């Protein structure tokens, strides 16, 4: 059986960044496992620019951005196994994997970083009526066909969903000569970044119809037409608002879901909101020694943010391994209690577990905040500064993000616009927590900015 100090699952920007960070923190026994035959993950098919502005202070394409990390991994001599599928992860960090060269094999890890990324929501999850003709693709599949395989999915296109991949593919298909007739979005707001709406739709006169969805798909062998309709506040189609578009292609860009089958098999507690693991300030999951970062933890807007987060995970995993090597108690801090308090903040434990709960503070998302990552903070163990990332559940204009310790407001920051498609963040300092010895909860809320 093979053994490594650190095994990283996934070699996209998050996995590679975590590997580099852990190596630089002193860990030399590292294995990165990637199911594809090349490193870089989804960025290999993202040939548009806009990457690297935060990490490298310059604008790069997806493959260029990935290559920066690939080069760093190669320079450090970090071992990578491509074309290798991880089949299972046990709670004691035993990894079962297989590939065409070695067959099925097992690896005992001292720590694991989950960096498997995310997947697109399929048509089956959307319950769209109609037949199952050719010409229906997820936006990511269409992106791979066009950018990596040189194949055009179609020439008259309707796009359902305004996630970033769908917006980018609206522009890409147009540049390749297709006619993108409309982008329909079920919600009353776009799911993508504002800059992508401007650069990919507005600049090419592609209409975006909010509060609309597909109600019918015509065609048995190939898509012939798609009908969209306006929906009410409950998402139900409004009779009489139907619009029919003749087309040969329907692209679906209806959200991304963290790829967490392996997380679930290892016993990691998942958040019902993000569908990623519940983590503490070290990005450690409910299973001690298993960490998570990138889109497998929660879906990010920018690869830069996923890479920054993964670098933190790599550093914390290295600290965990160093603690094991020194024979010290690890930083898991009663992981099962941590997970339950994050998923159900109102729950409490009595007797001997009460002191443990006091050391692990839940971060609550309230009043318009949809979720936060991390969901738990350990005041005694956290770094001097911690970035809380969060998303709102609706569009807000001229409001403020308020930070509460217990019921006391600590800070408030005005924001002109907040939307679900764009991640927000707030800095939390360890010195702030030191002033609250009886801290029971940290809370984020969206409030009126008029009194600020």
């Amino acid at each position: 059986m093979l053994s490594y100090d650190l095994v990283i699952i996934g070699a996209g920007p998050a996995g590679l960044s975590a590997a580099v960070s852990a190596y630089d923190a002193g860990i030399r026994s590292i294995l990165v496992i990637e199911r594809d035959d090349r490193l870089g993950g989804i960025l290999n098919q993202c040939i548009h620019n806009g990457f690297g502005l935060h990490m490298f202070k310059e604008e790069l394409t997806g493959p260029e951005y990935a290559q920066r990390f690939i080069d760093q991994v190669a320079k450090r001599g970090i071992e990578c196994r491509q074309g290798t599928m991880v089949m299972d992860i046990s709670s004691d960090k035993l990894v079962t994997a297989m590939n065409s060269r070695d067959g099925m094999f097992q690896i005992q890890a001292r720590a694991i970083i989950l960096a498997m990324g995310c997947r697109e929501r399929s048509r089956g999850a959307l319950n769209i009526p109609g037949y199952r003709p050719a010409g229906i693709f997820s936006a990511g599949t269409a992106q791979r066909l066009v950018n990596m395989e040189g194949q055009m999915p179609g020439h008259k296109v309707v796009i359902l969903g305004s996630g970033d991949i769908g917006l980018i593919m609206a522009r890409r298909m147009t540049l390749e000569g297709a006619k993108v007739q409309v982008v329909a979005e079920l919600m009353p707001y776009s799911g993508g970044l504002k800059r992508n709406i401007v650069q990919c739709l507005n600049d090419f006169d592609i209409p975006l119809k909010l509060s609309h969805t597909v109600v019918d798909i015509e065609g048995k062998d190939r898509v012939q037409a798609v009908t969209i309709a306006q929906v009410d506040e409950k998402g139900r189609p409004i009779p009489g608002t139907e619009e029919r578009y003749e087309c040969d292609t329907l692209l679906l860009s209806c959200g991304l879901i963290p790829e967490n089958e392996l997380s679930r098999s290892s016993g990691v507690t998942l958040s019902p909101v993000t569908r990623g693991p519940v983590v503490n300030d070290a990005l450690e999951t409910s299973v001690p020694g298993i960490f998570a970062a990138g889109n497998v933890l929660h879906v990010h807007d920018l690869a830069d943010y996923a890479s920054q987060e993964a670098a933190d995970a790599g550093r914390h995993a290295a600290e965990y391994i160093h603690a094991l090597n020194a024979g010290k108690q690890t930083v898991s801090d009663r992981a099962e209690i941590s997970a339950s308090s994050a998923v159900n903040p109102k729950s409490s434990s009595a007797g001997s577990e009460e002191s443990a709960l006091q050391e692990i503070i839940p971060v609550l998302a309230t009043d318009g905040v949809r979720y936060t990552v991390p969901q738990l903070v350990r005041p005694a163990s956290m770094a001097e500064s911690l970035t809380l990332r969060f998303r709102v559940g609706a569009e807000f204009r001229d409001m403020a993000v308020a930070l509460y310790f217990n019921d006391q407001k600590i800070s408030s920051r005005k924001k002109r616009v907040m939307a679900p498609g764009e991640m927000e963040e707030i800095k939390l300092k360890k010195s702030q927590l030191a002033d609250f010895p009886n801290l029971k909860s940290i809370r984020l809320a969206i409030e009126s900015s008029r009194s600020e």
Side-chain angles (χ1 to χ4, degrees), residues 160-162 183-192 194 197 208-213 229-236 238 393-397 417-421:
L160 175 62
S162 59
V183 176
E185 169 58 54
L186 177 68
M187 304 303 291
Y189 48 79
S190 171
K194 178 67 175 178
I197 297 173
L208 171 62
K209 298 204 170 188
L210 302 176
S211 299
H212 280 72
T213 192
Q230 188 175 350
V231 298
D232 59 21
E233 63 278 0
K234 294 184 178 181
R236 297 173 300 195
I238 300 173
E395 271 195 332
F396 294 97
R397 294 183 179 273
V417 178
M418 288 179 282

Side-chain angles (χ1 to χ4, degrees), residues 9-54:
I9 315 298
L16 297 178
S17 176
V20 170
S21 177
Y23 185 96
D24 291 348
I27 304 303
R28 295 294 180 266
S29 177
I30 301 174
L31 175 64
V32 180
I33 301 177
E34 170 58 45
R35 66 184 177 187
D36 205 348
D37 59 359
R38 59 193 296 183
L39 305 178
I42 198 67
L43 293 190
N44 289 316
Q45 68 184 51
C46 299
I47 65 173
H48 54 280
N49 59 9
F51 299 90
L53 293 172
H54 298 273

Side-chain angles (χ1 to χ4, degrees), residues 179-373:
K179 172 62 177 175
V180 179
Q181 301 183 80
V182 68
V183 176
E185 169 58 54
L186 177 68
M187 304 303 291
Y189 48 79
S190 171
L193 295 170
K194 178 67 175 178
R195 75 180 190 193
N196 284 335
I197 297 173
V198 174
Q199 296 173 5
C200 300
L201 298 188
N202 297 350
D203 288 355
F204 292 88
D205 296 322
I206 299 171
L208 171 62
K209 298 204 170 188
L210 302 176
S211 299
H212 280 72
T213 192
V214 171
V215 295
D216 190 33
I217 300 172
E218 298 177 34
K220 291 186 178 180
D221 297 325
R222 176 83 191 194
V223 174
Q224 296 178 344
V226 166
T227 300
I228 68 172
Q230 188 175 350
V231 298
D232 59 21
E233 63 278 0
K234 294 184 178 181
R236 297 173 300 195
I238 300 173
T241 63
E242 296 85 359
E243 299 176 65
R244 182 177 180 272
Y245 294 87
E246 292 187 0
C247 61
D248 58 16
T249 304
L250 173 64
L251 300 187
L252 304 177
S253 179
C254 301
L256 301 169
I257 303 171
E259 192 78 72
N260 268 302
E261 283 72 17
L262 290 174
S263 309
R264 194 175 289 108
S265 73
S266 66
V268 165
T269 299
L270 302 183
S271 163
V273 180
T274 65
R275 300 195 185 185
V278 173
V279 294
N280 62 22
D281 53 277
L283 300 175
E284 188 179 21
T285 70
S286 61
V287 177
I290 297 183
F291 301 78
N295 283 348
V296 78
L297 179 57
H298 61 131
V299 177
H300 292 64
D301 308 332
L302 303 177
D304 296 69
Y305 293 159
S307 300
Q308 291 171 354
E309 184 178 83
D312 291 339
R315 186 177 68 256
H316 290 306
E319 292 170 354
Y320 176 91
I321 295 166
H322 288 316
L324 288 179
N325 292 340
K328 297 178 181 178
Q329 187 174 3
T330 61
V331 298
S332 57
D333 281 339
R334 308 294 292 274
E336 289 186 7
I337 299 173
S338 302
S340 64
S341 62
V343 174
N344 183 14
K346 295 182 179 180
S347 68
S348 61
S349 299
S352 62
E353 295 184 346
E354 185 174 352
S355 60
L357 277 172
Q358 291 174 357
E359 298 170 3
I360 304 168
I361 310 301
V363 183
L364 309 180
T366 64
D367 299 328
V369 179
R370 186 164 178 262
Y371 73 81
T372 72
V373 171

Side-chain angles (χ1 to χ4, degrees), residues 81-199:
R81 291 200 183 195
Q82 294 108 282
T84 301
M85 175 73 76
V86 174
M87 309 301 294
D88 183 65
I89 302 173
S90 69
S91 58
D92 58 353
K93 297 181 282 294
L94 181 65
V95 178
T96 302
M98 65 181 299
N99 60 36
S100 59
R101 182 183 66 254
D102 306 306
M104 186 168 289
F105 57 97
Q106 290 186 313
I107 306 163
Q108 182 62 63
R110 307 195 77 187
I112 293 173
I113 297 178
L114 306 172
M116 295 89 71
C118 59
R119 66 175 186 269
E120 294 180 281
R121 188 172 277 110
S122 66
R123 176 188 173 172
L126 301 176
N127 294 323
I128 300 173
Y131 292 101
R132 294 289 190 268
I136 303 175
F137 302 88
S138 71
T141 299
Q143 186 180 58
R144 183 180 182 90
L145 287 171
V146 175
N147 293 346
M148 298 188 71
E149 300 180 20
Q151 301 289 333
M152 278 292 284
H155 299 280
K156 295 181 69 175
V157 184
V158 169
I159 299 177
L160 175 62
S162 59
D164 287 311
I165 304 176
L167 299 176
I168 289 166
M169 282 310 296
R171 175 179 63 186
R172 189 77 182 95
M173 296 289 284
T174 301
L175 292 173
E176 289 296 329
K179 172 62 177 175
V180 179
Q181 301 183 80
V182 68
V183 176
E185 169 58 54
L186 177 68
M187 304 303 291
Y189 48 79
S190 171
L193 295 170
K194 178 67 175 178
R195 75 180 190 193
N196 284 335
I197 297 173
V198 174
Q199 296 173 5

Side-chain angles (χ1 to χ4, degrees), residues 391-418:
R391 287 186 189 271
V392 295
E395 271 195 332
F396 294 97
R397 294 183 179 273
D398 298 319
M399 299 288 279
V401 179
L403 172 66
Y404 285 84
F405 287 178
N406 298 334
D407 292 325
Q408 182 173 337
K409 185 184 291 188
I410 302 302
S411 65
S412 182
R413 185 183 65 192
K414 293 181 181 179
K415 293 283 291 183
R416 192 175 67 85
V417 178
M418 288 179 282

Side-chain angles (χ1 to χ4, degrees), residues 58-80:
E58 58 181 304
E59 192 170 27
L60 305 170
T61 66
E64 288 173 332
Y65 182 89
Q67 193 63 46
R68 295 291 178 95
F69 285 107
I70 294 170
D71 292 343
Q72 290 182 30
V73 165
K75 181 179 179 181
R76 289 161 175 79
I78 298 172
E79 183 180 350
C80 300

